[in-house]
Amino acid sequence: MKQKIQLLFFLFLTQQGIAQDKTFVIRTGEPVAAVSPTMYGVFFEDINMGADGGLYAELVKNRSFEFFKPLMGWKVEQNPYREGAVLVLNRKEQHTANPRFLRITLPGDGPRSLSLINEGFRGMGIKKDLRYDFSFMYASAAAGLTVRAELCNAKGQAIGSAVLIPPATGGVWRKQELQFTATATEEKALLKITLEGNGTIDLDMISLFPGDTWRGRKGGLRADMVQMLADMKPGFIRFPGGCIVEGYDLSQRYQWKKTIEPVEERQLLINRWNFEFAHRPAPDYFQTFGLGFFEYFQLAEDIGAAPLPILNCGMACQFNAAEVVPLDQLDPYIQDALDLIEFANGPTTSKWGKIRADMGHPQPFGLSMMGVGNENWGPQYLERLQLFQKAIKAKYPDFRIVASSGTDPDGKRFEQLDTALRALHIDFIDEHYYRPPQWFFSNVNRYDHYPRTGTKVFAGEYAAHPEGVAPEKKNNWLAALSIAAFLTGVERNAAVVEMASYAPLFAHTAGWQWSPDLIWVSNLKAAGTPDYYVQQLYALNKGTKVLPLTLNDKVVAGQDSLYASAVLDEPAKELVIKMVNALPREQSIRLELRGTKRRTALAKLIRLQHTDLDAMNSMEAPRTVFPQESGIRLSGKQPPVTLAPYSFTILRIPYS
Ligand code: AHR
């Protein structure tokens, strides 16, 4: 209610001085800036079960028993019960990255069975007729135990199973793999592993992946989630965050080199979103790094996005421990940055380039930019950043560096950093704004007066957070409409803003910490929010050159609650006009194209619209707010176009 009153008041203000003649004039022959190919990307972080329990398709939670509580996510059932049948052992001297494993002993003194039951990440999403890849690491002195893997539905009935008797390994660790097909679809299945017979077996890395991962890669990513990203045709993908880059303290910072080992040697780390919000605790949230830096680069390549990794700058989160590395001990951090460039781009004869090639990608990944620090600020940040900048530019003069402007898009901290970073000729300033919808409507002119040369802006994290609304309802149409309006200002200022990404990207309906988010997923489905469709429409219609679009010689930035921008899409030979009507009633405008001729009277109209600002998409109704395409005939010199109430409209007009 509060948000609606605020909006109505805001709309009342913006209607003062309504122009009579609402003709949008587009000067097609006078492009003002080129649109960066990196525009409209995605920001990925393992928050809200974005990676573990989300994009990373592993279905077993705590597969290597490294959570603080080694059996978290697991239940042990024995028949009959025997004390000491399951032991948690630790071989940290030999295996520092993955020290714990289970030792299971069945004495063979009568019929016995022991089951390990994994609950998955809020259950396991299982699909009928799909193949599942079950695997585990084990060591045993002698064969004697039968292992049965079974998927169980909510009633405990088996919906797929496989059995094997693992051969003895002479005490050496080996991997066993088997496959089976699910006989039913289940949103919250469990995995039950039953051991029967006589003997002792050590178990670790118990894993289950669906057979339909993205591009069929074993141990890969959830295909439906990657598809949502691919459908956006993002200009870049930023990874791995976000705050997880910084860590609560430096021991918990993200270290990319620890994410490129074989998966069983990637050292697990607590996810900072495990405990960040007292009201949304997630005690079972850890990072396995199954989705590590190699996989991030591969993902970027798959979806045609420029990779944009962000590295720790030698500072932990300034809201948490705020630890800093002394300047004379910063070298290993800087070396990590230099090595990452070599890992991504270096020849296969180089140390890190060879590691990339050995992982299956001899071709370079084409890394051209990197963030140093996330939401860091103050002189301590600038001192550290400069050391990174000096070392990176000395070795790779054209490599572009993205620097933080702190947590807010204004205020003293922001202004000091902005000034200092421009003086350092840093390539990109990463701006973050999580603000109410009204902020986005009112800040559509934000970039109009930014310098056109020198440092560029990366609008790295933004989202409209409606006020007075339950977290689950924040992804409403009002929020998305306000961003659609704001982005007309971003588009107009392509000479200033070269990259933009909404944040956060993914959220699991049963495991989120932060809302709103761009894409919501359950164990079996993924649904785009209205915000997703706004981002997607901008990305798919970004064009190549920005054109001046005016109403009575002024940019269209809120007059009569209208917002608009225009670009040329040169390869398609189309003029693309984006218009937002934030009034609850239709508005009619006229279009006047100066400088070019329409090829045909027919144009394409794409409309995202809802009359209810509270409208949302959901798993059950994912297309409540969804783009609709139609044809429109534009007749006359100033063809009229009707903009629906509360709508975001794109016109694609073929030109000659
Ligand atoms: O997007 C969620 C968080 O918001 C990011 O981790 C952080 O950079 C920002 O504060």
Side-chain angles (χ1 to χ4, degrees):
M1 191 60 188
K2 187 176 157 209
Q3 54 161 345
K4 275 201 173 151
I5 293 170
Q6 282 174 344
L7 181 71
L8 287 174
F9 181 63
F10 175 75
L11 296 179
F12 169 77
L13 289 180
T14 57
Q15 283 179 77
Q16 302 308 294
I18 291 174
Q20 291 306 303
D21 177 18
K22 283 190 287 182
T23 301
F24 291 179
V25 175
I26 300 141
R27 296 199 301 282
T28 55
E30 300 169 36
V32 288
V35 178
S36 165
T38 49
M39 264 319 269
Y40 310 110
V42 289
F43 159 94
F44 183 86
E45 178 170 19
D46 193 1
I47 180 174
N48 302 315
M49 283 173 44
D52 284 290
L55 191 58
Y56 183 51
E58 172 65 86
L59 292 166
V60 176
K61 183 167 75 181
N62 194 12
R63 64 185 174 188
S64 60
F65 312 104
E66 302 300 332
F67 285 17
F68 292 164
K69 294 182 182 167
L71 284 177
M72 187 178 247
W74 293 94
K75 204 165 94 186
V76 180
E77 281 178 0
Q78 289 194 64
N79 188 18
Y81 180 80
R82 193 177 75 87
E83 202 61 60
V86 179
L87 297 177
V88 177
L89 298 186
N90 192 316
R91 61 195 150 166
K92 65 172 176 294
E93 306 304 327
Q94 304 93 46
H95 207 330
T96 45
N98 175 11
R100 291 204 198 111
F101 63 94
L102 292 192
R103 173 159 297 164
I104 296 179
T105 306
L106 296 184
D109 53 357
R112 281 181 186 277
S113 74
L114 185 148
S115 299
L116 300 167
I117 300 161
N118 191 273
E119 66 188 23
F121 298 89
R122 316 296 188 271
M124 298 177 185
I126 300 297
K127 297 176 201 158
K128 186 171 186 290
D129 295 331
L130 185 64
R131 186 196 84 224
Y132 284 84
D133 298 334
F134 173 67
S135 68
F136 56 93
M137 308 275 302
Y138 80 105
S140 65
L145 290 175
T146 304
V147 177
R148 188 169 71 245
E150 230 171 20
L151 283 168
C152 300
N153 66 14
K155 293 182 188 149
Q157 296 157 336
I159 54 166
S161 65
V163 180
L164 92 161
I165 301 178
T169 68
V172 176
W173 283 95
R174 290 231 177 95
K175 188 172 180 181
Q176 271 288 346
E177 294 175 89
L178 64 161
Q179 301 181 336
F180 54 87
T181 302
T183 56
T185 293
E186 177 73 31
E187 167 93 31
K188 289 187 180 288
L190 304 174
L191 174 67
K192 183 171 181 179
I193 300 148
T194 302
L195 298 129
E196 285 166 329
N198 170 19
T200 295
I201 190 167
D202 292 343
L203 292 174
D204 199 5
M205 290 298 288
I206 300 177
S207 168
L208 184 74
F209 274 87
D212 65 348
T213 52
W214 172 254
R215 301 214 165 159
R217 290 192 188 116
K218 282 209 154 186
L221 307 181
R222 230 178 97 166
D224 60 338
M225 291 173 71
V226 180
Q227 193 60 55
M228 294 290 289
L229 304 185
D231 290 347
M232 291 176 75
K233 291 208 178 5
F236 66 91
I237 175 166
R238 168 183 168 183
F239 56 88
C243 291
I244 63 165
V245 171
E246 302 160 72
Y248 175 85
D249 62 20
L250 283 169
S251 72
Q252 290 170 18
R253 72 188 189 278
Y254 196 103
Q255 298 185 59
W256 73 268
K257 286 178 181 165
K258 294 189 175 184
T259 73
I260 56 165
E261 305 286 347
V263 279
E264 64 275 15
E265 285 165 34
R266 297 184 188 177
Q267 192 170 9
L268 175 132
L269 199 65
I270 189 164
N271 189 309
R272 72 169 277 163
W273 300 106
N274 179 309
F275 53 83
E276 187 69 25
F277 294 141
H279 62 289
R280 296 290 303 172
D284 57 349
Y285 203 1
F286 289 78
Q287 297 176 81
T288 62
F289 301 110
L291 169 54
F293 259 46
F294 179 83
E295 291 79 16
Y296 278 122
F297 280 118
Q298 204 173 35
L299 171 64
E301 185 174 80
D302 289 351
I303 61 177
L308 173 50
I310 307 272
L311 298 192
N312 187 295
C313 62
M315 298 172 70
C317 175
Q318 285 162 274
F319 288 120
N320 292 155
E323 280 179 1
V324 295
V325 177
L327 290 180
D328 61 0
Q329 292 168 35
L330 194 62
D331 280 358
Y333 289 71
I334 296 174
Q335 195 58 47
D336 274 358
L338 297 172
D339 291 344
L340 180 62
I341 301 172
E342 187 177 292
F343 175 71
N345 297 347
T348 55
T349 47
S350 65
K351 176 180 169 193
W352 291 98
K354 178 171 183 328
I355 294 175
R356 181 193 72 242
D358 291 347
M359 291 181 84
H361 202 286
Q363 294 308 315
F365 279 119
L367 179 66
S368 64
M369 56 189 167
M370 170 193 293
V372 177
N374 172 67
E375 292 197 343
N376 296 114
W377 67 81
Q380 63 274 47
Y381 173 57
L382 290 169
E383 289 175 322
R384 282 161 184 77
L385 173 70
Q386 281 178 75
L387 295 177
F388 275 86
Q389 187 187 20
K390 198 169 156 214
I392 293 172
K393 293 280 183 182
K395 197 159 180 194
Y396 304 103
D398 296 332
F399 196 84
R400 293 177 303 164
I401 297 176
V402 176
S404 157
S405 63
T407 54
D408 293 289
D410 43 36
K412 210 167 158 201
R413 252 182 210 158
F414 173 84
E415 280 158 24
Q416 283 173 347
L417 273 175
D418 189 75
T419 307
L421 294 173
R422 286 176 191 279
L424 285 176
H425 304 292
I426 215 78
D427 301 284
F428 287 101
I429 298 181
D430 178 6
E431 296 189 354
H432 294 184
Y433 22 91
Y434 296 101
R435 291 289 188 269
Q438 281 69 28
W439 185 92
F440 286 92
F441 285 122
S442 330
N443 277 270
V444 63
N445 293 115
R446 177 177 177 86
Y447 295 113
D448 289 358
H449 307 294
Y450 268 53
R452 309 278 113 182
T453 54
T455 301
K456 301 294 174 197
V457 168
F458 165 36
E461 294 184 32
Y462 56 80
H465 286 223
E467 290 174 307
V469 174
E472 295 83 349
K473 300 199 166 157
K474 281 185 187 282
N475 271 123
N476 63 18
W477 177 225
L478 168 62
L481 189 66
S482 73
I483 299 263
F486 178 79
L487 288 180
T488 60
V490 169
E491 180 165 280
R492 231 184 17 241
N493 286 290
V496 173
V497 186
E498 289 201 356
M499 294 188 283
S501 46
Y502 182 100
L505 183 58
F506 288 117
H508 193 292
T509 49
W512 59 271
Q513 296 80 46
W514 179 296
S515 170
D517 304 283
L518 199 63
I519 300 166
W520 285 81
V521 303
S522 65
N523 286 346
L524 288 171
K525 292 183 189 163
T529 59
D531 275 301
Y532 171 83
Y533 292 109
V534 167
Q535 298 299 314
Q536 186 192 43
L537 288 176
Y538 267 94
L540 298 183
N541 295 285
K542 69 183 174 201
T544 47
K545 296 259 169 62
V546 181
L547 297 174
L549 183 157
T550 50
L551 169 62
N552 299 327
D553 292 328
K554 293 202 174 103
V555 293
V556 185
Q559 305 92 309
D560 211 5
S561 294
L562 291 169
Y563 304 81
S565 56
V567 291
L568 278 183
D569 183 337
E570 292 158 304
K573 281 198 162 297
E574 287 178 349
L575 170 65
V576 186
I577 306 171
K578 304 190 181 73
M579 294 165 283
V580 169
N581 173 19
L583 283 186
R585 59 171 165 79
E586 269 183 3
Q587 296 207 65
S588 238
I589 53 109
R590 286 182 177 276
L591 291 176
E592 185 180 321
L593 311 188
R594 288 190 195 157
T596 195
K597 285 206 173 98
R598 297 196 302 268
R599 237 187 302 146
T600 139
L602 279 182
K604 189 199 279 180
L605 185 144
I606 307 161
R607 178 176 287 155
L608 194 59
Q609 191 255 345
H610 208 287
T611 48
D612 180 2
L613 291 172
D614 289 327
M616 289 180 47
N617 292 340
S618 66
M619 293 299 151
E620 298 70 39
R623 294 186 167 201
T624 306
V625 184
F626 189 75
Q628 306 294 333
E629 266 188 42
S630 56
I632 175 172
R633 181 167 287 279
L634 302 174
S635 35
K637 273 197 138 192
Q638 293 184 332
V641 177
T642 303
L643 302 179
Y646 295 144
S647 64
F648 172 36
T649 304
I650 299 181
L651 271 182
R652 294 195 65 106
I653 307 171
Y655 69 85
S656 50

